[in-house]
Amino acid sequence: MAPKRLRTVDSESKQAVQNRSSMVTRSRSSSVKKISDDNSINNSPVVVFAHGAGAPSSSEWMIRWKNLLTDSLNAVEIVTFDYPYISKRKPPPKAEKLVEFHSDIFKAITAKYPLHPLILVGKSMGSRVSCMVAAENGIRASAVVCLGYPLKGSKGAIRDGPLLQLTVPTMFVQGTKDGLCSLESLEAVRKKMKALSRLHVVDNGDHSMKIAKKNLKLAGITQEEAEQCAVQAIAMFVSQIIGAR
């Protein structure tokens, strides 16, 4: 019997799209360096990429995904940063308390690249804060990409408020074994969202899209192939949104 392949879902909601820190780090794509110097060519995106609650922007996961996004999106720049609690070695505060810091970084990057589409990307908690930032007045985000959205709170409550406030196109990349976001719960929320949304499913992926070795073997794929499939879906989503500008 032929090996199973990774199942992915790429669906779209029926609703249309409605019209300071010194620790910031950046990743550039050399292939688009000239684009960033020529404001007449502005379809290459700039990405602001937020980390999750438990690990900083320098974590192995964040560095790997930053590189994946740089290559797949042909991005002018991938901007990563650490929320202030990281350097203070404190537990993460409520997501709402991180919005102002995150917004300030986004606004600074917007001023640097006024003609380029800006994409908010976040892992877990960073994706939730990114959605809050995108809904703020004065934030000119072209899209949001959520890598493992933490829909389920610590006490089991469905934290859909930020998603229901969104009006910019939003993409979710979720594993089927993500204990913080069941696909059934996410689908119910997506039906209520005002914003266009899209979903890419990583079969047997956990909250970080990690797939157990036995499931990789059964599917006949590698972890790298699963991640490449995800970033290709993200690239297609971003390309379509940018092309509609």
Side-chain angles (χ1 to χ4, degrees):
M1 182 173 66
K4 297 180 181 178
R5 304 304 296 174
L6 182 72
R7 177 174 65 89
T8 62
V9 176
D10 192 9
S11 62
E12 193 171 290
S13 68
K14 295 181 180 180
Q15 292 180 303
V17 185
Q18 295 184 346
N19 312 315
R20 348 176 119 111
S21 167
S22 61
M23 301 184 73
V24 171
T25 59
R26 295 173 170 83
S27 174
R28 292 182 181 273
S29 171
S30 58
S31 63
V32 297
K33 186 174 182 180
K34 290 183 178 179
I35 293 178
S36 66
D37 295 333
D38 183 357
N39 284 331
S40 66
I41 305 174
N42 56 23
N43 268 352
S44 291
V46 178
V47 175
V48 178
F49 186 14
H51 63 79
S57 61
S58 58
S59 69
E60 185 274 337
W61 193 97
M62 283 291 293
I63 291 172
R64 184 174 74 255
W65 276 81
K66 180 170 69 173
N67 292 334
L68 288 169
L69 291 169
T70 299
D71 294 340
S72 65
L73 299 181
N74 198 31
V76 175
E77 190 166 356
I78 303 280
V79 179
T80 58
F81 60 93
D82 287 342
Y83 291 114
Y85 74 86
I86 292 289
S87 62
K88 297 176 182 178
R89 298 186 178 182
K90 293 183 176 182
K94 290 184 177 181
E96 291 82 357
K97 293 185 179 295
L98 301 173
V99 173
E100 182 179 0
F101 182 87
H102 197 146
S103 295
D104 286 347
I105 289 175
F106 186 86
K107 289 174 183 177
I109 301 304
T110 301
K112 183 177 180 180
Y113 296 102
L115 299 180
H116 285 269
L118 273 75
I119 312 297
L120 282 160
V121 179
K123 181 191 188 305
S124 189
M125 179 196 73
S127 70
R128 189 162 175 253
V129 180
S130 294
C131 290
M132 294 177 180
V133 171
E136 291 269 289
N137 290 330
I139 295 297
R140 185 181 57 82
S142 295
V144 181
V145 177
C146 301
L147 304 175
Y149 189 87
L151 185 62
K152 183 180 177 182
S154 58
K155 296 182 179 180
I158 298 299
R159 303 182 295 186
D160 58 359
L163 300 178
L164 301 182
Q165 295 298 315
L166 285 171
T167 58
V168 299
T170 304
M171 181 168 189
F172 300 93
V173 179
Q174 299 288 154
T176 58
K177 294 184 178 297
D178 185 347
L180 295 181
C181 185
S182 72
L183 296 183
E184 292 79 9
S185 296
L186 180 59
E187 186 60 29
V189 173
R190 290 179 65 220
K191 289 178 180 179
K192 297 188 292 182
M193 289 175 64
K194 295 178 287 186
L196 174 148
S197 70
R198 194 165 294 171
L199 170 65
H200 176 87
V201 174
V202 180
D203 255 359
N204 295 305
D206 64 10
H207 189 54
S208 295
M209 277 67 73
K210 177 74 174 178
I211 304 171
K213 290 183 179 179
K214 64 177 182 180
N215 291 322
L216 289 171
K217 185 175 181 181
L218 286 171
I221 60 168
T222 66
Q223 182 68 38
E224 291 73 20
E225 287 172 333
E227 291 176 351
Q228 282 292 343
C229 186
V231 295
Q232 287 171 12
I234 294 170
M236 180 176 294
F237 167 73
V238 170
S239 177
Q240 290 173 348
I241 297 304
I242 291 174
R245 292 170 79 234

